[in-house]
């Protein structure tokens, strides 16, 4: 769970949301709209044809495919995988400079300008969702004009990964604050959740019993990826129990 | 005296070369304008913003049209060009800092706290140096968040 000390330092009496995501695998069609939305929202560069052929692509979210049965009686299952925002994240204790840590809201944070690029975190991540910038990212004109100003461009030498769209969380909080109201369920929609045509993904505060995500978690269908490792991810996958 | 001289040197060094010698003090002290009259976004948006020449000309089509700096302004206007103001505040891209003006205005942080006494300046100079230390100190003093993610994302 969130670190108490950090929570106190945040000050104020406001409730600290605990962000979580539920992904309904029975709804996911593997269309990869989330992958595209994530890349454009978070300024994730494309690797190019040659580099991609060598497996050097960078995706904050990917779709894993699982095949069940033999052709022609085959069933394909899709699983969107991004940073699982673990409560017991294996990436955090191995960072020598504290560039990655869990904040009071349960987000596994990556601070780019603190990162010195040891890459220990990526090596220790069982979900292989961390990516190292070997080179400075480049966008061929005019693609450089579509970059999202709310998200920093990661320079060469630092690690990056899914942030649960931390900038959109921030934006939603500021908007709510400007309107003088509390953050409501559904105000925060990470790019993947927003773009999912099958509405397979739900994001919200899992400690709010009325939130969509809390209801999904209590549905009895939810599980976590590589649960046995004890990483306690904040991403939950919903599947029909066999 | 020496420190004042030193300050003057530092201020001169950090003063950007502006296309027009815009006097902040003339507008704020004499004309009783507010910072937000021109930097409109300061209270409501991420960026405080620099005004368009259209805003300048709302007044300067009629007011003080013979002053040399206003004559220079109207030359830009006649050529239908914006004034290429030089920014004097901002964060380096490598700092990966995301700053939002609006929440700071809502917290009633005075403009002068981060920008110095602009009301008494002619051409604005970078009177306050923004460092992570100064940001965090203020955040702690005001019980605001000191989570790295508050600014770096």
């Amino acid at each position: 769970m969130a670190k108490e000390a950090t929570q106190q330092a945040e000050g104020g009496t406001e409730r600290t949301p605990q962000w979580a995501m539920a992904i309904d695998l029975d709804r996911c069609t593997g269309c990869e709209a989330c992958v595209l939305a994530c890349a454009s929202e978070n300024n994730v560069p494309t690797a190019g044809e040659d580099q991609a052929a060598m497996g050097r692509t960078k995706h904050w979210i990917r779709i894993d495919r699982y095949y069940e049965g033999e052709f022609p009686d085959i069933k394909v299952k899709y699983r969107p995988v991004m940073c699982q925002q673990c409560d017991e994240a294996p990436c955090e204790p191995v960072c020598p400079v504290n560039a990655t840590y869990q904040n009071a809201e349960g987000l596994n944070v990556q601070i780019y300008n603190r990162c010195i690029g040891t890459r220990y975190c990526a090596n220790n991540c069982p979900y292989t969702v961390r990516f190292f910038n070997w080179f400075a990212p480049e966008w061929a004109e005019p693609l450089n004009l579509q970059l999202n100003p709310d998200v920093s461009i990661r320079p060469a030498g630092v690690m990056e990964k899914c942030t649960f769209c931390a900038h959109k969380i921030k934006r939603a909080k500021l908007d709510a604050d400007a309107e003088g109201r509390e953050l409501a369920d559904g105000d925060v929609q990470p790019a993947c959740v927003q773009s999912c045509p099958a509405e397979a993904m739900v994001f919200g505060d899992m400690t709010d019993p009325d939130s969509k995500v809390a209801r999904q978690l209590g549905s009895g269908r939810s599980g976590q990826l590589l649960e046995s490792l004890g990483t306690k991810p904040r991403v939950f996958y919903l599947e029909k129990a066999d | 005296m020496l420190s004042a001289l030193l300050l003057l040197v530092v201020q001169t060094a950090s003063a950007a070369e502006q296309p027009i010698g815009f006097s902040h003090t003339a507008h704020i002290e004499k004309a009783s304008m507010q910072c937000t009259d021109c930097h409109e976004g300061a209270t409501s948006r991420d960026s405080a913003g620099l005004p368009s020449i259209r805003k300048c000309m709302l007044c300067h089509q009629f007011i003080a049209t013979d002053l040399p700096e206003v004559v220079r302004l109207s030359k830009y206007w006649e050529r239908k060009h914006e004034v290429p103001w030089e920014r004097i505040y901002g964060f380096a891209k490598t700092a990966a800092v995301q700053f939002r003006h609006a929440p700071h205005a809502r917290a009633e942080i005075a403009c002068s706290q981060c920008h110095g006494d602009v009301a008494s300046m002619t051409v604005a100079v970078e009177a306050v140096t923004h460092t992570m230390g100064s940001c965090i100190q203020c955040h702690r003093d005001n019980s605001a968040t000191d989570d790295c993610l508050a600014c770096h994302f």
Side-chain angles (χ1 to χ4, degrees):
Chain A
M1 267 296 153
K3 316 262 188 300
E4 294 300 324
T6 329
Q7 207 162 358
Q8 276 167 9
E10 288 254 310
T13 51
E14 277 177 39
R15 214 166 56 89
T16 309
Q18 297 300 317
W19 302 114
M21 188 183 286
I23 304 174
D24 194 332
L25 298 181
D26 296 332
R27 278 173 173 259
C28 177
T29 63
C31 73
E32 300 213 358
C34 52
V35 177
L36 189 63
C38 173
S40 46
E41 177 72 36
N42 292 297
N43 303 335
V44 181
T46 49
E49 205 174 333
D50 297 341
Q51 297 289 317
M54 291 188 272
R56 293 177 185 168
T57 51
K58 198 156 61 172
H59 292 298
W60 285 12
I61 182 171
R62 65 171 191 262
I63 307 284
D64 279 356
R65 281 172 292 187
Y66 298 90
Y67 300 100
E68 283 172 17
E70 291 288 327
F71 184 82
D73 187 22
I74 197 164
K75 226 167 93 180
V76 190
K77 288 201 120 183
Y78 302 100
R79 184 191 291 267
V81 181
M82 72 293 279
C83 171
Q84 304 287 300
Q85 311 284 345
C86 310
D87 279 349
E88 302 290 344
C91 56
E92 288 167 10
V94 292
C95 178
V97 291
N98 241 355
T100 185
Y101 65 93
Q102 189 187 30
N103 80 353
E105 299 181 356
L107 299 174
N108 176 265
V109 177
Q110 177 74 26
I111 303 299
Y112 307 124
N113 41 4
R114 187 171 262 198
C115 177
I116 57 168
T118 63
R119 314 195 301 284
Y120 294 161
C121 55
N123 287 334
N124 224 27
C125 174
Y127 306 104
T128 59
V129 289
R130 286 176 160 270
F131 297 90
F132 185 67
N133 285 285
W134 291 98
F135 305 101
E138 283 172 15
W139 285 270
E141 284 193 20
L143 294 177
N144 56 330
L145 300 175
Q146 54 127 41
L147 295 177
N148 183 355
D150 283 358
V151 179
S152 305
I153 308 285
R154 285 78 58 186
V158 304
M159 195 59 75
E160 65 179 58
K161 62 160 196 82
C162 159
T163 61
F164 258 3
C165 277
H167 62 288
K168 297 191 92 181
I169 297 177
K170 180 93 177 170
R171 176 72 65 199
K173 278 192 208 160
L174 293 181
D175 286 351
D177 198 23
E179 291 163 24
R181 59 175 174 85
E182 292 279 307
L183 202 58
D185 186 40
D187 276 354
V188 184
Q189 294 235 320
C192 52
V193 175
Q194 198 173 12
S195 64
C196 181
E199 293 181 22
M201 302 165 115
V202 171
F203 184 80
D205 177 5
M206 67 180 194
T207 53
D208 170 10
D210 297 326
S211 72
K212 249 185 183 176
V213 72
R215 287 206 301 274
Q216 296 267 39
L217 299 194
S219 66
R221 299 162 63 221
S222 100
Q224 290 154 309
L225 190 55
L226 305 180
E227 212 169 328
S228 58
L229 296 179
T231 51
K232 298 186 185 159
R234 286 287 179 101
V235 178
F236 297 84
Y237 292 96
L238 278 69
E239 264 178 299
K240 191 175 79 178
D242 288 323
Chain B
M1 181 62 201
L2 187 67
S3 62
L5 194 69
L6 197 68
L7 192 70
L8 193 71
V9 171
V10 170
Q11 286 211 341
T12 322
S14 59
E17 196 69 36
Q18 296 290 1
I20 294 176
F22 175 87
S23 169
H24 279 83
T25 189
H27 289 81
I28 299 172
E29 294 289 337
K30 288 188 199 151
S32 306
M33 288 174 70
Q34 302 287 317
C35 306
T36 48
D37 288 342
C38 296
H39 302 290
E40 280 178 355
T43 51
S44 56
R45 293 198 287 268
D46 295 351
S47 169
L50 292 166
S52 160
I53 192 166
R54 279 176 227 146
K55 173 144 270 179
C56 310
M57 294 309 285
L58 280 177
C59 296
H60 282 300
Q61 280 190 26
F62 314 105
I63 299 172
T65 47
D66 52 345
L67 287 182
E69 297 303 326
V70 178
V71 171
R72 292 172 81 175
L73 176 74
S74 37
K75 279 190 183 143
Y76 280 103
W77 176 248
E78 280 156 22
R79 280 181 284 151
K80 293 187 165 56
H81 281 186
E82 287 289 351
V83 184
W85 301 112
E86 286 289 327
R87 278 187 180 280
I88 55 171
Y89 286 105
F91 296 99
K93 279 240 162 79
T94 47
V97 170
Q98 300 281 343
F99 179 80
R100 314 276 184 246
H101 268 92
H104 293 88
R106 278 200 296 278
E108 295 176 353
I109 307 291
C111 304
S112 59
Q113 192 150 349
C114 303
H115 298 291
D117 187 15
V118 182
S120 66
M121 293 177 197
T122 48
V123 173
V125 291
E126 192 184 350
V128 180
T129 311
H130 299 155
T131 64
M132 194 165 85
S134 60
C135 293
I136 287 185
Q137 191 58 52
C138 189
H139 268 230
R140 286 186 178 156
D141 291 347
N142 291 291
S143 323
T145 173
D146 62 355
D147 187 3
C148 307
L149 191 67
C151 312
H152 298 289
F153 51 85

